[in-house]
Each structure stands twice: as structure tokens, then as C-alpha cells.
Amino acid sequence: MDRQEIIEKTELFVKQILSKDSTGHDWWHIHRVRNLAKRIAREEGADIFIVELAALLHDIGDYKFFQGDEETGAVKVREWLSSLEIPPLFIDKIVEITSKISFMHTLPAKGERSNKKNFPIPTLSKELMAVTDADRLDAMGAIGIARAFTYGGFFNRPIYDPAIKPSKSITKEEYKITEAPSINHFYEKLLKLKDMMHTKLGRKMAKRRHRFLNLFLKQFFKEWKGKM
Ligand code: ADP
Ligand code: NI
């Protein structure tokens, strides 16, 4: 099987799994992340084949689909890749990316102190950096806003409730089970992403998307108070 065939087969496999998703993990999220990750990868000199496969598979094993289980995802990704003719070293690299990409992993566990140490470790591979930045960029800006409310709606979360304050130092456990309004997610995740980019292009794009998130919030609260 040549590389193009492997990519096409994987694309079909992913499309089939995610076609009915309404939590913000739909096929078009994968499509955007894949394109952006490839663009970043080219600038960083990362391996495009690994980046493209990892981007395609990055949400297949999301713990949210497996009642919070974080291991099942890696098994599913490995199973799929093993069914294709891909060298084991490549498989390991791709599984590493899909297992480490999650924002949740950067949060402190219960009882752990939240500090800079919990943020990305500098020894990440170029491929992991490209896919992670692309995935995080898709949670920011206009698209990120649309996705946050889609997710919130799917899980019956209110848009906003002034009585429920965002958690300043949310832990991994709290993040997994939160039922807070969607606006809180901006403070618990989306506004933090700008400072969590690994690549030059990622940082540049995140800056602009971050600005748009702030603009939206400003307008949102003006309208909430009936000022505008
Ligand atoms: P990804 O897998 O793309 O990194 P997630 O799995 O964390 O993203 O979530 C999918 C989308 O839903 C993202 O855009 C994310 O910001 C959003 N989302 C996740 N948790 C919440 C939440 N509690 N409230 C609102 N939006 C959320
Ligand atoms: Ni994603």
C-alpha cells in the first residue's frame, strides 16, 4: 500500500466513525485540523505523513466517547494502523501524538499544584507540536466559539449563568465532569490556549483568534447587561 492509499483509507475510516457526531468532533473539525497541521508541519520541517495520519486519527479515541476512559483510544488507533502496512516506528509516533494531544492532560490532577510545570514539556516532537497547535487553534476564534456552544447544547449546558463562576484552577477531574455553562469554558480552556502554542505559526494565528474570543466576550457581556 502506498502512502496516498493509507491516507485515503484512513480518511474513509475516520469519516465513517465521526459522521454522526454533534459534539464539535465532526468530520469538518478533522478536515480543518489536518490542513492546518500540514501547513504548520511544512513550516516546522516535520514529517507530513505522520502529521496527516495523526491529525486524521486524533479524535477517534477521545476519552469522552468511552465514558472517560483514556486508554481505549490508543488501542483503537493502534489497531487501525496495524491493519495497514505501516512500519511499527511510525505507528508508535502516531499513537504518541493521539495520546498526548488532549488539553486535559495539561491540567493538574486533584491535589497537584497548578503551575507552569503542568504546561507543555519542551521535548515534544515536531509532529506532535504541529497537530496539537492545529487542534487547539480550532478551539479558538469564530470556529472555536461555534464549537463551544455546539458542545454545550449537546450536553444540555446553559449558555451562561452569572451564579456559576468559572473555576480559576480547574483540575483534570473537574474538567472531565464539569456541567458548567458554555461561557465558563472560555475561561477554563479557550483563553488559555494562546500561551500554550508550540510553533511560530501557531502562536501567530492564536494571537488573532484569541483577540476574536475577547471581542466576542466583550460584546456578549454588553448585550447581557442590555447595554448594547
Ligand atoms: P478537541 O478534541 O478538538 O481538542 P475537545 O474534545 O476538548 O476538543 O472538545 C471539542 C470542542 O468542544 C472544543 O472546541 C472544545 O473547546 C469544546 N468543549 C469541550 N468541553 C467543553 C465544555 N465543557 N463546554 C463548552 N465547550 C466545550
Ligand atoms: Ni480535535
Side-chain angles (χ1 to χ4, degrees):
M1 219 183 298
D2 66 21
R3 289 187 168 197
Q4 194 50 37
E5 246 178 291
I6 290 173
I7 298 281
E8 280 165 18
K9 275 199 159 191
T10 303
E11 188 179 320
L12 282 176
F13 169 70
V14 172
K15 267 187 182 159
Q16 173 213 327
I17 294 181
L18 299 181
S19 60
K20 288 187 191 74
D21 185 85
S22 339
T23 62
H25 283 102
D26 57 303
W27 163 253
W28 294 111
H29 163 62
I30 307 299
H31 171 86
R32 291 187 301 269
V33 171
R34 168 210 214 164
N35 288 340
L36 197 47
K38 281 169 77 181
R39 194 176 150 200
I40 296 173
R42 276 192 287 272
E43 290 220 355
E44 294 290 319
D47 185 303
I48 306 284
F49 180 61
I50 289 180
V51 164
E52 186 157 20
L53 279 178
L56 282 170
L57 292 164
H58 86 271
D59 272 340
I60 290 298
D62 197 297
Y63 66 93
K64 289 188 221 63
F65 300 137
F66 302 109
Q67 289 80 42
D69 177 28
E70 293 170 35
E71 306 301 322
T72 319
V75 174
K76 275 194 87 177
V77 171
R78 190 173 285 281
E79 256 173 29
W80 170 253
L81 292 170
S82 306
S83 75
L84 307 163
E85 291 151 33
I86 300 179
L89 189 69
F90 276 52
I91 298 185
D92 289 344
K93 281 193 165 183
I94 295 163
V95 173
E96 191 196 359
I97 298 174
T98 59
S99 310
K100 285 190 179 167
I101 193 167
S102 163
F103 168 78
M104 193 200 58
H105 291 315
T106 67
L107 295 171
K110 203 174 150 197
E112 222 174 62
R113 280 219 300 153
S114 163
N115 59 30
K116 283 273 179 205
K117 278 196 202 121
N118 294 312
F119 283 85
I121 323 132
T123 53
L124 310 183
S125 70
K126 283 181 179 175
E127 290 75 24
L128 175 58
M129 293 198 282
V131 185
T132 305
D133 281 11
D135 191 37
R136 290 183 178 162
L137 281 164
D138 207 56
M140 304 177 74
I143 299 232
I145 295 169
R147 292 180 74 216
F149 292 107
T150 299
Y151 184 101
F154 185 83
F155 291 106
N156 298 317
R157 313 269 164 80
I159 295 173
Y160 176 55
D161 182 344
I164 308 173
K165 303 284 176 225
S167 164
K168 277 205 181 105
S169 48
I170 194 163
T171 64
K172 208 170 157 178
E173 289 76 10
E174 287 162 351
Y175 183 82
K176 266 177 143 175
I177 55 157
T178 180
E179 293 195 340
S182 299
I183 284 286
N184 291 22
H185 186 66
F186 285 68
Y187 300 95
E188 288 163 353
K189 172 181 172 185
L190 309 187
L191 292 169
K192 294 178 184 170
L193 298 175
K194 172 177 72 73
D195 295 326
M196 296 175 71
M197 290 290 142
H198 303 96
T199 64
K200 202 171 156 211
L201 183 58
R203 273 188 289 276
K204 190 174 148 195
M205 295 182 81
K207 221 169 152 181
R208 302 176 81 169
R209 294 187 187 204
H210 183 85
R211 229 179 277 148
F212 193 78
L213 289 177
N214 276 326
L215 189 71
F216 169 81
L217 288 169
K218 221 168 145 186
Q219 175 82 11
F220 182 93
F221 287 111
K222 273 189 190 160
E223 291 179 18
W224 188 269
K225 290 175 190 149
K227 284 189 179 162
M228 216 168 162

